[in-house]
Amino acid sequence: MALAIEPGDLECTLCMSFYTDPVMLRCGHYFCYDCIENELDIQDRSEFYTCPECRKHFTERPVLQKNQNLCNKVNNSLQAESVTTIFCTYCVQERVPASKTCLLCEAFLCDIHLRVHCKSEQHVLTDLGTSWKNRKCSIHNRLFEHYCIKDSSFICLKCSASGDHIGHKLESLNDASKKKKEKYKNLLEKMSFELEETKKSVQNLQDHNEEMLKQANNETAKVMVLFSDIRQKLEDLQDRLLSELNRQKEQIIYPISERIKHLEKKMEKQIKTVHYIENLCKIVDPIKVLQIWDTHNGIQDAKQWCDGGSQRGDSTVYNPGGVNHDLISVNIYIALSDIINDVKTRRSGYGQEASDILLDICTASYEIGISDDLKTAYQSLSCQQLPETLDRFKDHSQVLSTKSFTSGKKFWEVEISDSGIFRLGVAYPSIERRGRQSCIGNNNKSWCLLLCNKNIVRIHNSQVFIVPGEYSCRRFGIYLDYEAGRLSFFELCESIRHLHTFTATFTEPLYAAFWVSDKGWLRIGV
């Protein structure tokens, strides 16, 4: 239950000044909000919290309860004090405003009497607003002179000679205050150091964030420029092909149009001749029919057309040829090849495809079979007649690549069979060749993904971590950025999915490493 508030109890025992935003602890004592918050912050590292007034313990950080009634009383008192002038106790001839209060003498002092007042430690001088009540023993009505370390309380001289504080370790208020200030200074130094470290961490994160944003923006710009160039090249190709098709169209259509015009004129003459001969066939008088001269132009033309004369060729099918499909196809093939080659050349910033990666049969274990093109590895339980070499793996069905990577960015693809267990990754040439530690991922000289029954597990230095989700296709991409120390794995389905990225500082050449078991097979560079 809250303690009753006396009219004069308007000062915080921590700052010895009028309450600012007064709040109450569960024990009923009041403090300024900022004062008790700072005190509780200091106690955060302790096993419990303590009321600075009654020393009551709390297992959890106390909930602060604001007291609006007390806040109103403080405001009213401050308003009343602002219009009330306190005068010097010793100036009896005239009313001189006081500047300090002597708590021992319980007197107000002006500047003149302050200079001649006793300067001993017993005569504590404070501001005018300081309450005497919080500076005096409630039992003996004497000023506090000592601090009891055991009870963490203020006591007067009589309390130290009698009562509950006999035999307790006491210190003068100044000494106790100095020691506490020393603790605060030490705490301040530690907190200042922690603050500086936090500032450095924030700055480092901000710098890293800016660098990441800069890299992302640079990559975005590179991609936009790349695809802008590709679009421009495709548009140029389209323009060239359309222009070529228009040219071919003109070459085809113009002669056909001219031929049509010529044949239309011929057809017009033929129609007239047909009509003329039809009329001749309608004549009834035989003498008239015989009198008609066969040398008539219409008749002569008809004879030529029918007898296969010079005009016979006009009636044959005219075929000037069609669109040159092969020319168009070759143009498209060459142009697209140039675009692809240009993209591959410029892709050095994104990683070079290690299409020439081959499997080193000299490192393959006796349980691994290698295809003639050195691209496919498969489990072969039959003992192979392979020569003994120092680089050959003895206890695990795995193999390394013939080529190592010591710099730059590399990318290669791997296809796996529907069934089987696989490990895909990289390894140093110094990896062990015998024993459990020689398996890819079971040492600090190799990094890999384990693929088994649609599950994905990343392994390095025998530390296993299950990658969320399952793989849904049989094609995977491996991207190595040697200088940046990144090894990334991707699932190459209809949409590419990132699986995991290892980060490390690579100190040796890296070889592509593969492990295959359970009658499975894998192929590189699909």
Side-chain angles (χ1 to χ4, degrees):
M1 179 178 291
L3 300 177
I5 303 173
E6 298 295 334
D9 294 342
L10 302 178
E11 294 180 353
C12 174
T13 57
L14 294 177
C15 64
M16 301 301 178
S17 299
F18 281 108
Y19 289 117
T20 302
D21 296 328
V23 292
M24 183 185 72
L25 299 181
R26 291 199 301 272
C27 59
H29 290 105
Y30 293 89
F31 305 93
C32 297
Y33 176 81
D34 289 339
C35 294
I36 191 62
E37 273 287 294
N38 293 334
E39 183 68 22
L40 294 176
D41 288 342
I42 295 172
Q43 298 178 13
D44 274 340
R45 297 184 180 180
S46 304
E47 296 180 356
F48 52 81
Y49 298 88
T50 306
C51 171
E53 185 75 19
C54 66
R55 316 309 296 177
K56 180 173 179 163
H57 292 173
F58 305 100
T59 56
E60 297 180 354
R61 183 169 179 135
V63 177
L64 304 179
Q65 306 174 25
K66 186 174 182 179
N67 189 306
Q68 189 60 44
N69 184 37
L70 180 57
C71 186
N72 295 336
K73 288 186 177 182
V74 171
N75 291 334
N76 293 336
S77 178
L78 290 174
Q79 291 176 1
E81 187 182 79
S82 63
V83 297
T84 302
T85 303
I86 301 176
F87 298 99
C88 178
T89 304
Y90 301 109
C91 293
V92 295
Q93 300 296 329
E94 57 180 329
R95 296 167 63 83
V96 179
S99 59
K100 291 290 182 180
T101 300
C102 177
L103 298 182
L104 178 63
C105 303
E106 297 187 7
F108 302 107
L109 306 173
C110 65
D111 292 337
I112 297 175
H113 287 98
L114 182 61
R115 289 197 292 269
V116 299
H117 194 76
C118 181
K119 301 298 190 296
S120 65
E121 292 184 357
Q122 290 80 8
H123 292 265
V124 180
L125 300 176
T126 65
D127 293 332
L128 294 177
T130 304
S131 172
W132 296 346
K133 181 177 180 181
N134 292 328
R135 298 277 183 162
K136 286 188 175 185
C137 174
S138 60
I139 300 175
H140 304 103
N141 199 28
R142 293 173 61 92
L143 286 176
F144 293 133
E145 298 180 40
H146 295 92
Y147 181 73
C148 178
I149 298 177
K150 181 178 180 180
D151 298 329
S152 300
S153 60
F154 305 104
I155 60 174
C156 66
L157 188 60
K158 287 188 176 182
C159 289
S160 63
S162 62
D164 297 335
H165 301 283
I166 296 178
H168 292 181
K169 185 177 180 180
L170 305 178
E171 289 182 343
S172 68
L173 295 181
N174 287 338
D175 291 341
S177 176
K178 288 178 181 178
K179 288 182 178 180
K180 194 160 190 177
K181 284 183 178 180
E182 194 64 30
K183 291 182 180 179
Y184 287 156
K185 288 179 181 178
N186 293 334
L187 181 61
L188 179 61
E189 290 179 0
K190 293 180 181 178
M191 289 302 300
S192 299
F193 176 78
E194 292 290 335
L195 177 60
E196 288 302 318
E197 291 297 314
T198 303
K199 287 181 179 179
K200 290 179 182 178
S201 298
V202 171
Q203 186 61 46
N204 290 337
L205 287 174
Q206 290 176 342
D207 294 342
H208 181 71
N209 186 51
E210 291 179 2
E211 182 63 25
M212 292 301 100
L213 288 174
K214 184 178 179 181
Q215 290 183 12
N217 291 335
N218 288 340
E219 292 298 313
T220 301
K222 288 165 64 176
V223 170
M224 292 180 66
V225 169
L226 176 64
F227 279 88
S228 176
D229 290 347
I230 292 174
R231 282 193 295 270
Q232 185 61 49
K233 287 181 171 59
L234 290 174
E235 289 177 0
D236 293 343
L237 173 61
Q238 174 182 280
D239 292 341
R240 290 200 306 272
L241 293 179
L242 292 178
S243 177
E244 174 62 23
L245 286 171
N246 286 331
R247 185 187 67 80
Q248 292 190 27
K249 182 174 67 175
E250 292 295 327
Q251 286 183 341
I252 296 170
I253 292 176
Y254 178 76
I256 292 177
S257 298
E258 292 298 316
R259 187 64 177 168
I260 290 174
K261 291 179 181 178
H262 173 73
L263 292 177
E264 285 178 343
K265 291 180 179 179
K266 178 181 178 180
M267 184 174 64
E268 184 179 351
K269 291 176 64 176
Q270 288 175 335
I271 292 172
K272 290 181 179 180
T273 301
V274 168
H275 289 325
Y276 176 74
I277 295 175
E278 285 178 347
N279 291 330
L280 291 180
C281 293
K282 294 178 182 179
I283 298 175
V284 178
D285 185 355
I287 295 176
K288 192 172 182 178
V289 171
L290 293 174
Q291 289 178 341
I292 296 174
W293 297 100
D294 290 343
T295 58
H296 187 275
N297 288 338
I299 296 176
Q300 290 296 326
D301 290 339
K303 287 181 177 181
Q304 288 181 357
W305 290 329
C306 296
D307 294 341
S310 60
Q311 300 295 326
R312 171 61 66 90
D314 292 340
S315 62
T316 60
V317 178
Y318 179 73
N319 184 11
V323 175
N324 191 334
H325 298 286
D326 292 342
L327 178 62
I328 300 300
S329 298
V330 169
N331 269 280
I332 293 176
Y333 175 80
I334 293 175
L336 292 181
S337 297
D338 291 341
I339 292 174
I340 292 172
N341 291 332
D342 181 57
V343 171
K344 285 184 176 180
T345 301
R346 298 173 59 179
R347 201 173 65 173
S348 59
Y350 300 95
Q352 299 172 352
E353 184 176 1
S355 57
D356 56 344
I357 187 171
L358 299 174
L359 300 176
D360 187 358
I361 196 169
C362 294
T363 64
S365 73
Y366 294 111
E367 298 178 351
I368 285 284
I370 304 297
S371 62
D372 292 338
D373 63 356
L374 304 181
K375 289 284 189 177
T376 302
Y378 54 91
Q379 188 187 52
S380 178
L381 298 179
S382 60
C383 182
Q384 301 183 67
Q385 298 301 318
L386 296 175
E388 181 71 21
T389 64
L390 295 177
D391 293 333
R392 191 175 306 286
F393 291 103
K394 305 300 189 301
D395 301 318
H396 297 281
S397 53
Q398 57 194 34
V399 62
L400 300 181
S401 63
T402 57
K403 183 178 180 180
S404 66
F405 311 120
T406 58
S407 64
K409 302 170 183 178
K410 309 294 179 182
F411 176 81
W412 62 95
E413 296 183 19
V414 181
E415 181 183 6
I416 62 174
S417 56
D418 286 326
S419 61
I421 303 175
F422 310 89
R423 293 193 185 202
L424 314 178
V426 297
Y428 289 153
S430 59
I431 185 175
E432 298 291 335
R433 306 299 164 138
R434 289 180 179 273
R436 179 184 176 277
Q437 289 295 319
S438 64
C439 187
I440 302 169
N442 288 0
N443 49 72
N444 61 357
K445 298 182 178 182
S446 59
W447 298 257
C448 76
L449 280 194
L450 170 65
L451 306 174
C452 177
N453 297 327
K454 302 299 182 181
N455 296 315
I456 310 168
V457 180
R458 71 115 170 97
I459 309 175
H460 171 64
N461 203 17
S462 296
Q463 295 181 355
V464 176
F465 175 79
I466 299 177
V467 178
E470 298 181 344
Y471 63 89
S472 56
C473 67
R474 298 189 292 117
R475 290 181 57 228
F476 298 88
I478 303 173
Y479 179 84
L480 170 65
D481 188 337
Y482 191 94
E483 282 82 5
R486 292 199 308 272
L487 177 68
S488 300
F489 294 82
F490 301 87
E491 184 183 23
L492 305 181
C493 297
E494 204 168 305
S495 60
I496 299 176
R497 179 167 72 102
H498 174 254
L499 300 178
H500 183 73
T501 294
F502 289 100
T503 56
T505 301
F506 300 125
T507 57
E508 296 182 39
L510 286 173
Y511 288 81
F514 308 94
W515 182 97
V516 58
S517 184
D518 286 354
K519 300 180 180 179
W521 58 262
L522 60 84
R523 183 167 179 80
I524 310 166
V526 293

